[in-house]
């Protein structure tokens, strides 16, 4: 039974409600065999409803740090956001200790499953990777500018980009997202939460986030998609340079093509398109948020042959320090710094 408190909470969510028993049946009692993965806020399970629909169920972990407010935040945001490059939320279940979000099932899992895997990476040729880059850009532009809300995602990363049957990208996980007012440009927080390797410098150092901090994360994603390498940990095999620093160095030497994933170098690809994506990625990861382009400019640059401005030196050029986390929900890895260190993080 759903108690009165839960019922009142459900009414506030304005979303189709699923009964816990139906979700339990669909996931075979949250069977390990049906587990798709685990994010910072809890595991995700594959399920099949009685009507045949396949679903993905995000099960909020009690120890995750995400409470009912964060859950409501994610629900309210996704209900109001409709775009082909955003994941579709089908419903929710808030019953007793259980807090569940029910999404459309993405059969190809998340982007990181492909681009960081030696075998799976071969399935993404350049044209598909370019399609994914452009799709993520359009989804982010919608969040920042074209939706009824102005939304800052705050946790854009390869693991939060899901792929459908045709490998079209869909941005997911809005638990950390913030809505900005019409005239609002940026906001400051004392609680820095996100994922190491994707956080913009002004957010990591000063808790300042804006649409330009999302742009920075997008730039990291572009460089990862092109190279097939993770930004986090890249320095360990590359003389202290981060993936950003490596891309910047190659760009300065006029040899950006060297960043391209090894799997793609022997295949047919659009060289101009590859170099353009790397260039746009470097524009997005510039140290100063003022220098970074808006997502509307990014979409235009990706879809045209207009001349691009030269990027300035990026943030996180070298990896200098390891942060000391606080209340972390993921394992700490060294974080890219520009001759500074970070403390008191909450990582995902």
């Amino acid at each position: 039974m759903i108690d009165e408190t839960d019922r009142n909470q459900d009414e506030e969510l304005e979303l189709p409600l699923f009964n816990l028993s139906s979700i339990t049946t669909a996931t075979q009692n949250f069977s390990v065999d049906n587990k798709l993965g685990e994010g910072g806020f809890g595991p995700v399970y594959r399920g099949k409803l009685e009507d045949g629909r396949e679903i993905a169920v995000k099960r909020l972990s009690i120890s995750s740090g995400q409470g009912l407010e964060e859950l409501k935040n994610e629900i309210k945001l996704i209900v109001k956001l409709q775009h082909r490059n955003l994941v579709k939320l089908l419903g929710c279940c808030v019953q007793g200790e259980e807090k569940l979000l029910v999404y459309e099932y993405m059969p190809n899992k998340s982007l990181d499953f492909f681009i960081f895997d030696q075998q799976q990476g071969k399935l993404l040729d350049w044209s598909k990777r370019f399609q994914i880059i452009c799709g993520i850009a359009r989804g982010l532009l919608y969040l920042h500018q074209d939706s009824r809300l102005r939304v800052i995602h705050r946790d854009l990363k390869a693991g939060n980009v899901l792929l459908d049957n045709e490998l079209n990208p869909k941005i997911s996980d809005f638990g950390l997202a913030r809505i900005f007012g019409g005239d609002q440009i940026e906001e400051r927080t004392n609680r820095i939460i996100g994922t190491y390797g994707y956080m913009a410098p002004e957010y990591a150092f000063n808790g300042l986030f804006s649409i330009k901090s999302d742009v920075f994360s997008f730039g990291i994603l572009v460089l990862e998609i092109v190279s097939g390498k993770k930004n986090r940990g890249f320095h360990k095999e590359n003389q202290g340079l981060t993936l950003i620093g490596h891309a910047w160095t190659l760009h300065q030497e006029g040899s950006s093509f060297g960043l391209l994933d090894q799997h793609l170098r022997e295949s047919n690809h659009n060289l101009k398109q590859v170099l353009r994506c790397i260039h746009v990625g470097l524009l997005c990861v510039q140290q100063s948020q003022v220098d970074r382009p808006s997502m509307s400019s990014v979409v235009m640059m990706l879809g045209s042959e207009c001349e691009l401005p030269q990027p300035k030196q990026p943030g996180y050029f070298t990896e200098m320090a390891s942060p000391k986390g606080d209340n972390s929900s993921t394992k700490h890895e060294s974080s890219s710094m520009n001759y500074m260190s970070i403390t008191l993080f909450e990582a995902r």
Side-chain angles (χ1 to χ4, degrees), residues 110-337:
S110 54
L111 180 59
D112 57 344
F113 177 74
F114 284 88
I115 60 174
F116 302 140
D117 185 89
Q118 288 293 314
Q119 295 303 316
Q120 296 298 327
K122 296 177 182 179
L123 301 177
L124 294 183
D125 59 18
W126 172 250
S127 63
K128 184 58 66 177
R129 294 189 193 212
F130 183 67
Q131 174 187 316
I132 289 170
I133 289 171
C134 292
I136 298 170
R138 287 192 297 268
L140 207 51
L141 172 60
Y142 173 78
L143 292 176
H144 290 178
Q145 180 176 308
D146 295 338
S147 69
R148 290 184 293 168
L149 310 170
R150 177 177 290 178
V151 179
I152 314 300
H153 189 279
R154 293 208 299 166
D155 199 22
L156 184 68
K157 59 183 178 180
N160 283 341
V161 176
L162 305 183
L163 302 174
D164 68 9
N165 283 313
E166 299 177 348
L167 296 174
N168 295 308
K170 293 178 183 283
I171 299 171
S172 70
D173 200 339
F174 289 81
L176 300 183
R178 289 288 187 89
I179 301 173
F180 273 16
D183 298 326
Q184 189 175 6
I185 298 175
E186 60 187 19
E187 185 175 324
R188 190 182 300 275
T189 179
N190 292 323
R191 186 171 178 241
I192 301 173
I193 48 181
T195 302
Y196 301 140
Y198 292 93
M199 284 187 280
E202 68 276 5
Y203 180 51
F205 292 133
N206 301 312
L208 195 65
F209 62 91
S210 67
I211 59 173
K212 294 298 185 72
S213 48
D214 273 357
V215 170
F216 186 93
S217 301
F218 173 77
I220 297 294
L221 258 181
V222 170
L223 298 179
E224 289 185 332
I225 292 169
V226 170
S227 67
K229 302 292 185 182
K230 293 182 181 181
N231 187 42
R232 293 170 64 180
F234 183 87
H235 71 291
K236 295 176 182 177
E237 301 173 1
N238 293 275
Q239 294 80 48
L241 283 180
T242 61
L243 178 61
I244 302 174
H246 181 56
W248 167 258
T249 300
L250 291 174
H251 177 77
Q252 292 293 91
E253 296 172 349
S255 53
S256 287
F257 182 71
L259 189 70
L260 186 63
D261 192 328
Q262 195 71 38
H263 297 316
L264 305 181
R265 295 187 188 180
E266 303 301 322
S267 59
N268 294 324
H269 50 259
N270 187 325
L271 178 58
K272 285 186 177 179
Q273 210 173 60
V274 172
L275 297 178
R276 193 171 191 82
C277 284
I278 295 171
H279 196 137
V280 170
L282 287 171
L283 288 171
C284 291
V285 298
Q286 292 176 100
Q287 173 74 21
S288 172
Q289 60 178 318
V290 176
D291 294 325
R292 296 173 212 147
S294 65
M295 287 310 302
S296 58
S297 295
V298 168
V299 170
M300 182 188 70
M301 289 188 289
L302 289 172
S304 71
E305 296 185 0
C306 63
E307 186 175 351
L308 301 177
Q310 285 303 310
K312 299 178 182 177
Q313 182 168 314
Y316 304 154
F317 188 84
T318 56
E319 195 129 344
M320 300 295 292
S322 298
K324 297 179 180 180
D326 180 39
N327 298 324
S328 173
S329 59
T330 61
K331 293 181 181 178
H332 289 301
E333 296 182 32
S334 56
S335 180
S336 311
M337 296 296 99

